[in-house]
Amino acid sequence: MKHLLSTLDLSRDDAIRILDIAEEMAAVGTREVKKLPALRGRTVVNLFFEDSTRTRISFEAAAKRLSADVINFAAKGSSVSKGESLKDTAQTLQAIGADAVVIRHWASGAPARLAATDWIDAPVVNAGDGTHEHPTQALLDAFTLRRHWARARGTGSLGTDLAGLKVAIVGDILHSRVARSNLWLLRTLGAEVTMVAPPTLLPVAAGSWPCTINYDLDDALAAGPDAVMMLRVQAERMNAAFFPNAREYSRRWGFDDARLAALDAHGLAETLILHPGPMNRGLEISSGAADSSRSAVLDQVSNGVAVRMAVLYLLLSGDQQRTANETQG
Amino acid sequence: MNPTHATGDYLIRGASLLAETTADLLVSDGRIAAVGPAAATDARAASATVIEAAGLVALPGMVDLHTHLREPGREDAETVETGTRAAALGGFTAVHAMANSNPVADTAGVVEQVWSLGRRSGWVDVRPVGAVTVGLGGERLSELGAMADSRARVRVFSDDGICVSDPVLMRRALEYVKAFDGVIAQHAQEPRLTEGAQMNEGEVSAVLGLAGWPAVAEESIIARDVLLAQHVGSRLHVCHVSTKGSVEIIRWAKERGIQVTAEVTPHHLLLTDELVRSYDPVYKVNPPLRREEDVMALRAALADGTIDVIGTDHAPHPSESKECEWAQAAMGMTGLETALSVVQHAMIETGMITWADFARITSTVPAAIGRLGDQGRPLAAGEPANLVLVDPAARWTVDPAKMATKGRNSPFRGLELPGAVVATFFRGHPTVLGGALNTPLPLDGGA
Ligand SMILES: [Zn+2]
């Protein structure tokens, strides 16, 4: 594994290896001194073309706990105003001597471009690109789900996958990099996925995806999912006629208190609620649901640091053992 | 120094005319002076330069209804000089230059400027396309008549790059150009359905998270326009048809006798949206690369005559316009120097068409659509000597760095393709010899 660009091209072995190492990293996070010397002297650049404080500080904490030096580079430029080019920025980072680049970009495919060109040699970690993928989010979700799934079956999580787990992903699938990354990774790990959304917020070709499509959230909940992943919805989508208004959206596709109660009514005591954050309370999720004992939202945040430590460690540690993927390919 | 008329006589020996019959051709004074046994026995043959053409296919010079030569305004991307050098090397003797220059070619002055630049360069005939609407703004008609009456004698009008989406404006344009036998070449793209569109909408765009350009945005405009053309009895030309559904609509229209002609690009005959998975902007083009089944439908339509012509949509861009994120990249691909080989590969080597068909779709019919009287003519005595000699057995690997166009944005780079242009004769003068540029034939200094 030279880069982490997407979960679509992540093998099952690599995924489980990342999750297993993340378990070790999580143990470090519970110690009094939360620091390992693994990446001392290495430089990790957080290259952010799009603001995301929570993702940036998660990567920053991960790198620092591995004793790496961290440079935060907030690049100017957006889809409307062109700033410094990706090429110039990458070549600058190469000249500075970056050992790894964590990139967040508003444009789908920007991390893949960095990895494919000769602008920079360093490993590239996709920290979310446009509406394409957000692989570390999917890995931290899988980590969270794996612990839950193992606990429910009374086993340890090391080495295990998510075979048999049923996950409903609810919301703006069309524009969600979290949904895409989760779909591929959950499938790779053996979980079953149901996408729940208004038809306007699903890709027209979603029928070719390895998941079930359901337009009806209540129906999807009655089917007994082990986890429900709520996605952030931008209220402005109603201006492009994706749905009539925020009220109708939350009535049909929001996880409100009534649906929280419905989980109990269905006897689904173990069903988790996940959300990648930041949450629009009252739109896609009610406060009652977000703050309930079912909510894994804060676990997701802390697991995010452990998973990102594992990814940086794997990509950067000198004694990296070759993965099955690489030796075959 | 440069001749203003073709000088020298050329005896082309043993060429295979349209890959049908082997014959000699005598080129003299801008014309094909003799064909067959008469060529070698003609008095001029003795002093003529002999070109051994055994194994080469002789074709009428190719005519492109669709190029972007970028001049005036984007001389960093291409000039008439560099674009027409590329055209000659690709086997063309006439190209139409689209109107989306800066300033836009929407007045007699600008089209005459482009026409003059072409005359001065002397590599091929440059036929400016006039903008349908002022500044490509889609609001008011340009002075179509003034452009038609200018020295550039514009017959093809297009807002290419932008769709004439207003149905009333489209109707009026179709009607108006009947006065001077013009044709409207439509870039069929419903604008609201393609806001922010980045690639074909389908399975690949769903995975890549790139905004989709749905086939229906092209098909709905074509359906509307063929009905408008029928209603007002006008000629319609559809640029760069890219979907299976468009083919079906055009076939339907032709069955009803509607005067519609259609064009396909070489890249839409060969490449699919699977290539976009690399996020390499060299594959970003408008209309976008489509699915395999679209490619197959386009090939079949070209073979059965539903699609009439090849148009390259040659669209050079400076490298910085492609060395960036997909969403930031410019749309377009170069095509003049690869068109013949790609069409040979996709259509002739697959057995779908013959070289005679090739001459029809790359020369005869595009010349007829553009009303170019001295292009697209038969290889016969007395005809203007616009012709090309092709080595169909050659194979070469595409290297954009070696091309004459300024654009390095060829989606075929690294691909091995068949067929090489050995010589191009433009008005009797060899602009290309031995597969390399020879000399141009400037016409009256463009004055
Ligand atoms: Zn166009």
Side-chain angles (χ1 to χ4, degrees):
Chain A
M1 204 174 83
K2 159 92 167 127
H3 308 284
L4 179 64
L5 303 175
S6 74
T7 58
L8 184 61
D9 52 19
L10 194 65
S11 69
R12 181 179 177 279
D13 285 352
D14 280 345
I16 288 178
R17 190 143 155 262
I18 292 169
L19 298 181
D20 286 352
I21 293 174
E23 286 287 356
E24 295 172 38
M25 298 300 177
V28 174
T30 61
R31 301 194 319 206
E32 198 173 340
V33 178
K34 299 182 177 57
K35 208 155 179 169
L36 290 175
L39 299 184
R40 183 173 293 148
R42 316 299 295 276
T43 301
V44 174
V45 176
N46 287 325
L47 175 58
F48 276 53
F49 284 80
E50 179 183 76
D51 280 343
S52 174
T53 306
R54 55 174 54 224
T55 303
R56 184 181 54 72
I57 62 173
S58 179
F59 271 105
E60 190 170 350
K64 285 181 170 167
R65 282 186 194 172
L66 293 168
S67 304
D69 296 319
V70 177
I71 298 173
N72 288 313
F73 190 141
K76 294 266 185 286
S78 66
S79 51
V80 276
S81 78
K82 222 170 167 179
E84 186 176 21
S85 78
L86 182 62
K87 180 181 174 180
D88 288 337
T89 306
Q91 289 179 334
T92 300
L93 299 183
Q94 172 83 355
I96 284 170
D99 293 303
V101 177
V102 174
I103 178 174
R104 162 69 72 114
H105 204 297
W106 53 266
S108 300
R113 283 292 278 161
L114 272 196
T117 57
D118 58 4
W119 305 336
I120 189 165
D121 301 326
V124 175
V125 179
N126 181 359
D129 62 329
T131 55
H132 175 223
E133 287 221 28
H134 194 353
T136 59
Q137 177 70 44
L139 283 161
L140 75 87
D141 290 339
F143 182 92
T144 307
L145 291 168
R146 191 173 78 154
R147 279 189 163 183
H148 176 71
W149 195 228
R151 200 181 304 123
R153 291 174 305 168
T155 65
S157 48
L158 277 179
T160 66
D161 62 13
L162 299 175
L165 183 80
K166 289 187 285 182
V167 181
I169 303 178
V170 186
D172 184 354
I173 310 290
L174 179 64
H175 300 99
S176 176
R177 51 194 170 211
V178 176
R180 284 175 180 75
S181 282
N182 262 295
L183 173 61
W184 312 127
L185 183 60
L186 289 169
R187 294 295 298 150
T188 296
L189 294 175
E192 293 165 32
V193 178
T194 299
M195 296 284 191
V196 185
T200 46
L201 290 176
L202 285 161
V204 286
S208 66
W209 283 0
C211 62
T212 305
I213 305 284
N214 195 335
Y215 304 139
D216 187 330
L217 178 54
D218 294 316
D219 190 50
L221 294 179
D226 300 297
V228 182
M229 190 178 290
M230 302 305 297
L231 301 174
R232 180 178 170 79
V233 169
Q234 294 178 318
E236 311 84 70
R237 298 278 179 218
M238 71 183 188
N239 298 327
F242 285 104
F243 48 83
N245 57 43
R247 203 164 19 132
E248 173 151 326
Y249 181 88
S250 34
R251 208 159 46 222
R252 295 182 75 97
W253 291 284
F255 203 105
D256 56 12
D257 294 347
R259 290 184 172 113
L260 184 62
L263 288 185
D264 295 332
H266 293 313
L268 299 170
E270 298 298 323
T271 297
L272 277 190
I273 302 170
L274 291 85
H275 193 297
M279 292 183 282
N280 288 309
R281 289 174 184 254
L283 179 52
E284 75 266 4
I285 190 165
S286 68
S287 279
D291 301 332
S292 75
S293 57
R294 295 176 180 277
S295 170
V297 170
L298 292 176
D299 291 337
Q300 288 173 276
V301 174
S302 55
N303 294 341
V305 178
V307 161
R308 286 165 179 137
M309 287 172 76
V311 168
L312 291 172
Y313 176 79
L314 269 173
L315 292 178
L316 277 172
S317 64
D319 54 327
Q320 175 187 157
Q321 77 183 72
R322 295 270 152 187
T323 64
N325 225 7
E326 240 175 1
T327 45
Q328 284 163 11
Chain B
M1 186 74 192
N2 286 320
T4 54
H5 295 285
T7 53
D9 301 332
Y10 297 87
L11 179 63
I12 300 165
R13 280 220 295 235
S16 177
L17 311 189
L18 308 182
E20 289 174 344
T21 56
T22 300
D24 297 345
L25 290 163
L26 182 67
V27 172
S28 179
D29 198 25
R31 300 207 163 256
I32 298 172
V35 178
T41 57
D42 189 287
R44 289 164 288 189
S47 58
T49 304
V50 174
I51 295 173
E52 293 296 349
L56 305 185
V57 176
L59 302 165
M62 293 162 67
V63 176
D64 197 345
L65 279 169
H66 197 145
T67 72
H68 297 272
L69 300 184
R70 305 296 188 213
E71 192 175 3
R74 285 304 303 271
E75 290 81 358
D76 59 323
E78 192 82 290
T79 62
V80 170
E81 174 69 23
T82 57
T84 54
R85 283 171 177 244
L89 281 166
F92 291 90
T93 52
V95 300
H96 289 73
M98 279 298 175
N100 62 341
S101 50
N102 183 14
V104 170
D106 57 2
T107 62
V110 179
V111 295
E112 286 193 348
Q113 181 194 353
V114 173
W115 175 79
S116 291
L117 288 166
R119 304 265 294 178
R120 235 173 270 157
S121 287
W123 295 104
V124 297
D125 276 333
V126 173
R127 300 301 308 253
V129 173
V132 175
T133 67
V134 175
L136 308 178
E139 290 181 351
R140 287 178 299 127
L141 287 185
S142 307
E143 291 186 3
L144 306 172
M147 290 188 277
D149 292 344
S150 75
R151 283 178 298 157
R153 301 187 67 253
V154 175
R155 291 296 177 271
V156 181
F157 299 89
S158 181
D159 276 1
D160 182 64
I162 300 173
C163 182
V164 181
S165 61
D166 180 333
V168 175
L169 207 53
M170 186 61 183
R171 176 208 164 136
R172 300 282 186 247
L174 285 166
E175 284 181 296
Y176 191 80
V177 300
K178 282 202 284 188
F180 31 85
D181 198 22
V183 63
I184 304 296
Q186 175 70 296
H187 170 114
Q189 176 181 2
E190 210 295 314
R192 286 278 287 145
L193 285 171
T194 51
E195 278 172 18
Q198 296 292 327
M199 69 171 296
N200 179 53
E201 183 167 27
E203 289 187 23
V204 182
S205 68
V207 170
L208 297 186
L210 289 171
W213 198 131
V216 62
E218 174 172 308
E219 293 154 6
S220 58
I221 291 291
I222 296 176
R224 180 200 74 178
D225 286 355
V226 295
L227 293 172
L228 284 174
Q230 178 181 42
H231 181 60
V232 299
S234 294
R235 286 204 290 152
L236 168 71
H237 178 71
V238 184
C239 295
H240 42 54
V241 171
S242 71
T243 77
K244 184 179 176 185
S246 297
V247 165
E248 284 161 11
I249 294 162
I250 292 162
R251 190 173 284 132
W252 177 91
K254 287 190 164 187
E255 281 165 4
R256 274 149 193 80
I258 298 170
Q259 297 179 73
V260 58
T261 55
E263 160 193 304
V264 64
T265 70
H267 49 267
H268 286 114
L269 291 173
L270 192 60
L271 310 178
T272 71
D273 63 352
E274 289 293 330
L275 290 163
V276 183
R277 290 186 191 273
S278 66
Y279 288 105
D280 185 337
V282 79
Y283 301 114
K284 185 172 178 181
V285 66
N286 192 21
L289 300 178
R290 304 285 188 185
R291 305 162 306 165
E292 184 76 16
E293 62 184 288
D294 295 302
V295 168
M296 291 306 153
L298 293 169
R299 288 184 184 185
L302 187 59
D304 72 18
T306 303
I307 292 177
D308 301 85
V309 302
I310 297 289
T312 63
D313 197 3
H314 176 76
H317 289 289
S319 58
E320 60 268 26
S321 298
K322 292 286 190 181
E323 285 188 328
C324 54
E325 302 87 338
W326 179 276
Q328 293 281 36
M331 293 184 276
M333 303 169 163
T334 61
L336 285 168
E337 289 161 89
T338 45
L340 179 140
S341 293
V342 171
V343 175
Q344 182 184 345
H345 175 61
M347 300 299 297
I348 295 179
E349 292 198 333
T350 53
M352 298 185 81
I353 65 168
T354 63
W355 283 106
D357 295 322
F358 181 94
R360 171 175 50 82
I361 63 178
T362 63
S363 182
T364 316
V365 179
I369 293 168
R371 299 296 194 246
L372 306 186
D374 54 357
Q375 295 277 352
R377 303 294 305 164
L379 298 174
E383 295 288 352
N386 294 311
L387 60 97
V388 55
L389 299 176
V390 173
D391 178 1
R395 296 198 72 88
W396 61 293
T397 301
V398 179
D399 179 0
K402 291 184 179 157
M403 291 184 178
T405 173
K406 284 191 182 182
R408 296 290 168 262
N409 49 311
S410 171
F412 306 112
R413 65 164 175 217
L415 211 64
E416 193 187 271
L417 291 173
V421 173
V422 174
T424 306
F425 284 82
F426 170 52
R427 302 188 185 206
H429 176 77
T431 51
V432 172
L433 270 183
L437 282 174
N438 183 34
T439 54
L441 179 69
L443 301 164
D444 64 36

